[in-house]
Amino acid sequence: MKKLVNGIVDFRKNIQPDYIQKFSQLARGQRPDALFIACSDSRVVPNVFASTDPGDLFVVRNVGNLVPCCGADGLSKSDESEAAAIEFAVSKLNVSDIIICGHSDCGAMHAIKNGRSNISALTAPNLKSWLRHGEVALNDKNQDVNELSKVNVLQQLENLKTYPVVQERLEQGNLGLHAWWFDLQTANVLYFSKSQDRFVVIDEVEAKTILAQMDTKWTQTQLNT
């Protein structure tokens, strides 16, 4: 807590002046580029590794970067907060992309690998229940935790597609879904490349590939409208 308080003082003295104009503009409303769904892990800081400014990302964080499936009635089968954030980001803020980002050494994935039955129903009943949304990614008990984390990201993208507002935008061709993964040890960000069928480090070369694909999709969308 002391570090947080001192950090606020440092922000006021050394950083805030440079952000006053930016926040003044943001006070009139937000127009983020993407919805970013990440894990609550304190070591994962999207605004740091993506070098984004305030207002660039609409961020949702929860244990395990999980997205509960949506039912046929259009309502979430679990916590409404994730569903509300998805609907708000897509239908109200009109984000053009949704990113689900997992990470290495994820505590949620460790818990799933070790079995939810080992989580105490007395001390952590909500955690035990919540992690059921990630169990489908577990193939076997010998699965490496980091591989489980990557599979989980891809599974949560599939869960995301069960939301009517997401389905609608995908059919219109004006929403992109992306699977990212952050390696804590190397500080590298990886993305899932469909052409290579694996997670690949986003370096200068891969960044050009990603941006070219996005430009092509944007052009195609414009021609279809």
Side-chain angles (χ1 to χ4, degrees):
M1 190 65 183
K2 291 181 179 179
K3 186 175 183 179
L4 295 179
V5 174
N6 289 329
I8 291 173
V9 174
D10 179 66
F11 177 79
R12 283 176 55 85
K13 291 173 56 179
N14 303 314
I15 303 175
Q16 188 185 50
D18 296 331
Y19 274 101
I20 288 179
Q21 183 176 358
K22 179 68 174 180
F23 279 113
S24 177
Q25 295 172 346
L26 291 173
R28 305 188 194 104
Q30 59 172 321
R31 297 189 63 182
D33 299 319
L35 165 61
F36 198 98
I37 302 176
C39 184
S40 299
D41 193 300
S42 62
R43 300 167 294 178
V44 179
V45 189
N47 293 87
V48 172
F49 64 68
S51 298
T52 53
D53 288 326
D56 290 345
L57 295 178
F58 188 74
V59 181
V60 174
R61 301 185 68 167
N62 63 55
V63 176
N65 45 271
L66 305 177
V67 178
C69 286
C70 188
D73 57 359
L75 298 176
S76 172
K77 293 182 179 180
S78 183
D79 191 341
E80 294 177 341
S81 64
E82 277 74 23
I86 292 167
E87 292 173 354
F88 185 74
V90 176
S91 64
K92 299 301 181 182
L93 299 179
N94 292 312
V95 297
S96 57
D97 295 277
I98 301 178
I99 301 162
I100 297 183
C101 184
H103 67 95
S104 61
D105 192 37
C106 180
M109 297 302 106
H110 277 289
I112 290 173
K113 177 178 169 60
N114 294 332
R116 281 199 308 126
S117 59
N118 294 316
I119 300 175
S120 173
L122 295 176
T123 59
N126 292 295
L127 175 61
K128 184 173 186 177
S129 176
W130 172 252
L131 291 179
R132 73 188 187 278
H133 301 297
E135 274 189 323
V136 68
L138 184 64
N139 295 324
D140 60 74
K141 295 295 183 179
N142 295 321
Q143 192 172 4
D144 178 77
V145 168
N146 288 344
E147 286 305 313
L148 171 60
S149 178
K150 292 176 181 178
V151 174
N152 177 63
V153 173
L154 298 177
Q155 179 58 51
Q156 301 314 311
L157 273 188
E158 294 303 312
N159 292 356
L160 191 59
K161 295 175 184 177
T162 65
Y163 288 80
V165 66
V166 173
Q167 293 174 3
E168 180 182 1
R169 294 299 175 92
L170 287 175
E171 290 171 359
Q172 294 172 351
N174 53 18
L175 180 67
L177 303 184
H178 313 274
W180 286 14
W181 194 78
F182 182 61
D183 189 332
L184 292 169
Q185 187 171 11
T186 64
N188 279 322
V189 180
L190 293 76
Y191 83 106
F192 184 76
S193 168
K194 291 183 179 179
S195 62
Q196 301 180 58
D197 193 32
R198 63 187 180 91
F199 280 87
V200 181
V201 173
I202 301 178
D203 56 15
E204 289 80 359
V205 175
E206 290 299 329
K208 291 180 181 179
T209 300
I210 296 171
L211 294 175
Q213 292 173 344
M214 293 177 66
D215 288 341
T216 300
K217 183 176 181 179
W218 185 85
T219 302
Q220 292 175 338
T221 301
Q222 292 299 107
L223 291 175
N224 294 331
T225 56

